[in-house]
Amino acid sequence: MSDAEYDSFMQTNFPKWITEFEQGGFLEKTKLPPIADEDALVDVLMSVPKEDLVVIKYWKHGCVPCLSFAEMYKAAEQMCLAEQKRIHWFSVDTKSPAAKGLVDYQIVDGTPTIQTFRGGRQVGSEIRATQIDELMRELTKRQIAGSS
């Protein structure tokens, strides 16, 4: 297969493969509670105790890095629950029209993006962890920093 044939083959088939993968149950298995828009974010931030950490995962359909990290984020959420950490996980679909204002306001320019909040304010910069241990260390550090 020539380079041009390969490029054509991938451009034709890759979107179909991603859609099949997403619709095959993966998104449902890795789902985090959704935040639809700015009002929903404010509601979440006001509803959790002010000393708790809120983690927001920004993602979009068809984003290969988003899909590759989805299981790690879901596993981290489950670890937080099992260890009774005061960390609450949510997600924002950046391609949802309702979320556009929130995505723009939070200056999310790529996906996946992880932001943390406590007491209604953003805590630290975006988390760029690529391994679950690294992610959990950073979340624990941010949780401890807010409890002192």
Side-chain angles (χ1 to χ4, degrees):
M1 183 180 291
S2 71
D3 287 346
E5 290 171 323
Y6 176 80
D7 288 345
S8 176
F9 175 79
M10 290 303 288
Q11 288 174 356
T12 300
N13 290 294
F14 191 74
K16 178 180 75 170
W17 295 334
I18 291 291
T19 300
E20 289 171 358
F21 183 72
E22 289 181 343
Q23 293 175 352
F26 181 81
L27 289 181
E28 195 59 37
K29 287 187 344 192
T30 60
K31 190 179 205 176
L32 295 171
I35 291 178
D37 55 27
E38 291 174 270
D39 291 337
L41 175 62
V42 170
D43 290 345
V44 163
L45 296 178
M46 295 294 118
S47 69
V48 299
K50 66 180 180 176
E51 54 281 337
D52 288 11
L53 196 63
V54 174
V55 179
I56 309 293
K57 172 187 84 166
Y58 296 88
W59 69 285
K60 66 182 174 191
H61 289 278
C63 166
V64 174
C66 297
L67 295 173
S68 63
F69 286 114
E71 288 179 310
M72 179 180 77
Y73 298 142
K74 185 64 176 182
E77 177 206 32
Q78 295 302 308
M79 288 174 70
C80 290
L81 289 170
E83 296 171 15
Q84 298 181 348
K85 291 183 178 278
R86 297 183 68 170
I87 300 175
H88 309 270
W89 287 78
F90 297 91
S91 69
V92 174
D93 179 354
T94 62
K95 289 298 183 186
S96 166
K100 182 174 180 5
L102 171 59
V103 170
D104 290 346
Y105 182 77
Q106 288 303 123
I107 313 173
V108 176
D109 58 1
T111 54
T113 294
I114 297 290
Q115 295 178 340
T116 55
F117 297 82
R118 180 183 299 99
R121 297 180 184 266
Q122 189 168 344
V123 177
S125 58
E126 297 170 359
I127 297 177
R128 298 287 183 189
T130 59
Q131 301 293 321
I132 194 164
D133 293 339
E134 180 185 9
L135 175 61
M136 294 305 293
R137 271 193 306 276
E138 183 60 31
L139 293 175
T140 299
K141 183 172 89 176
R142 291 179 186 205
Q143 186 183 31
I144 291 169
S147 63
S148 49

